[in-house]
Amino acid sequence: MRITGFSDQKNRQVAAVILFFYLLVQGFQFYIFATSPSAETPAERLIREATDIHLWRSFLLLVSFFLMIHVFLVICSYNLNYNFTLTACAFIGLFSFCFLEILIRSVELFYIQRSLPGAFVSKGSDKENILMQYTLFQSVQYALYFPLMLTQAIGSTILAFKFSNRRKINILINIAFGINAIRLGIRLLGMYLEIDLLNRWSFNIYLPAIITIFGLMIAWLLRVKEESFNP
């Protein structure tokens, strides 16, 4: 039996709009980080996180990761008839990435940014304990980014090599997820092996890489036609 899933034209168009929104959010975040005043101490960073522009940044990112589940569902659904098992594994990896991002962004927005700063500036507050909670969140976030990026890298690698080759345009997906897998591999090595050169390179290529990766996906979503696999 043919599996149609979410790969119809309407869902592909919705996914393309979501990816365009995601790129706008990423550009907005990059602009904020590039123009925000530097904050040297944990207290300064905590107060800065409570400003309206950073609250909007976190809210938009949180929304975007909910929506990205639909994008990955559309792309993987298209490929299910070509390779069901590996495509299902790829989706689990990409879904895990979105799920962990949603958890992290929710704690960041509703607790770190909306709760802690107010408690910190209130009279008689235990500022040392509040800053310790803020520092603890950063440490937990750093630890969670390992499975977050690893699961996304595994899913991306699978789709880079095992996505349907029955249409030439599908090479856009191979290239997009291939670039993403390489980007994530570099970032993982830089972060967790503490290789400064890779960390700097990963930071410098982040926005151009994201634009390239998701731009290719948008092009594919808008131009591809439905596959017609035989059972």
Side-chain angles (χ1 to χ4, degrees):
M1 179 182 295
R2 174 163 167 69
I3 302 171
T4 55
F6 292 82
S7 60
D8 57 275
Q9 184 179 14
K10 182 179 179 179
N11 276 300
R12 293 199 302 270
Q13 290 172 344
V14 171
V17 172
I18 291 171
L19 285 180
F20 183 71
F21 170 74
Y22 181 73
L23 287 178
L24 291 178
V25 173
Q26 289 290 331
F28 179 57
Q29 176 174 249
F30 187 84
Y31 169 78
I32 291 172
F33 287 147
T35 58
S36 294
S38 60
E40 301 298 332
T41 67
E44 291 175 342
R45 291 194 294 271
L46 178 61
I47 297 302
R48 183 186 65 181
E49 289 295 309
T51 57
D52 287 343
I53 195 167
H54 279 278
L55 289 172
W56 273 108
R57 171 187 64 82
S58 295
F59 172 74
L60 291 172
L61 279 171
L62 177 59
V63 170
S64 69
F65 287 116
F66 276 104
L67 297 175
M68 286 295 288
I69 295 174
H70 178 78
V71 174
F72 294 136
L73 187 59
V74 168
I75 293 173
C76 290
S77 180
Y78 182 93
N79 202 53
L80 280 175
N81 289 280
Y82 183 74
N83 193 319
F84 182 88
T85 301
L86 286 178
T87 302
C89 290
F91 178 73
I92 291 171
L94 296 170
F95 176 82
S96 299
F97 152 68
C98 292
F99 179 74
L100 289 170
E101 280 281 16
I102 289 168
L103 289 181
I104 292 170
R105 300 298 174 180
S106 296
V107 175
E108 180 183 37
L109 175 60
F110 297 111
Y111 184 65
I112 299 300
Q113 294 179 279
R114 297 196 62 182
S115 178
L116 283 188
F120 182 78
V121 299
S122 64
K123 187 176 180 179
S125 63
D126 186 351
K127 291 181 170 50
E128 183 176 345
N129 180 57
I130 292 171
L131 289 178
M132 183 178 68
Q133 293 180 56
Y134 177 58
T135 303
L136 178 62
F137 167 76
Q138 292 179 315
S139 298
V140 172
Q141 182 183 40
Y142 175 82
L144 287 176
Y145 258 71
F146 180 78
L148 181 154
M149 289 190 290
L150 182 61
T151 54
Q152 187 188 176
I154 292 172
S156 296
T157 301
I158 291 172
L159 293 180
F161 288 100
K162 293 298 180 179
F163 200 79
S164 167
N165 60 5
R166 296 203 177 194
R167 293 184 184 274
K168 290 183 179 179
I169 195 173
N170 290 353
I171 196 173
L172 296 179
I173 291 294
N174 301 124
I175 294 172
F177 280 104
I179 294 173
N180 199 41
I182 294 170
R183 176 187 72 84
L184 290 165
I186 292 171
R187 193 173 176 191
L188 281 165
L189 290 173
M191 285 181 65
Y192 297 101
L193 295 182
E194 299 182 352
I195 303 175
D196 290 338
L197 178 62
L198 291 182
N199 282 329
R200 290 195 300 271
W201 195 69
S202 180
F203 175 80
N204 290 333
I205 70 166
Y206 178 79
L207 188 59
I210 290 297
I211 292 172
T212 301
I213 292 163
F214 293 108
L216 289 170
M217 291 185 194
I218 290 172
W220 178 82
L221 287 164
L222 294 177
R223 295 179 58 192
V224 74
K225 303 297 181 182
E226 187 71 10
E227 289 277 18
S228 57
F229 293 115
N230 293 319

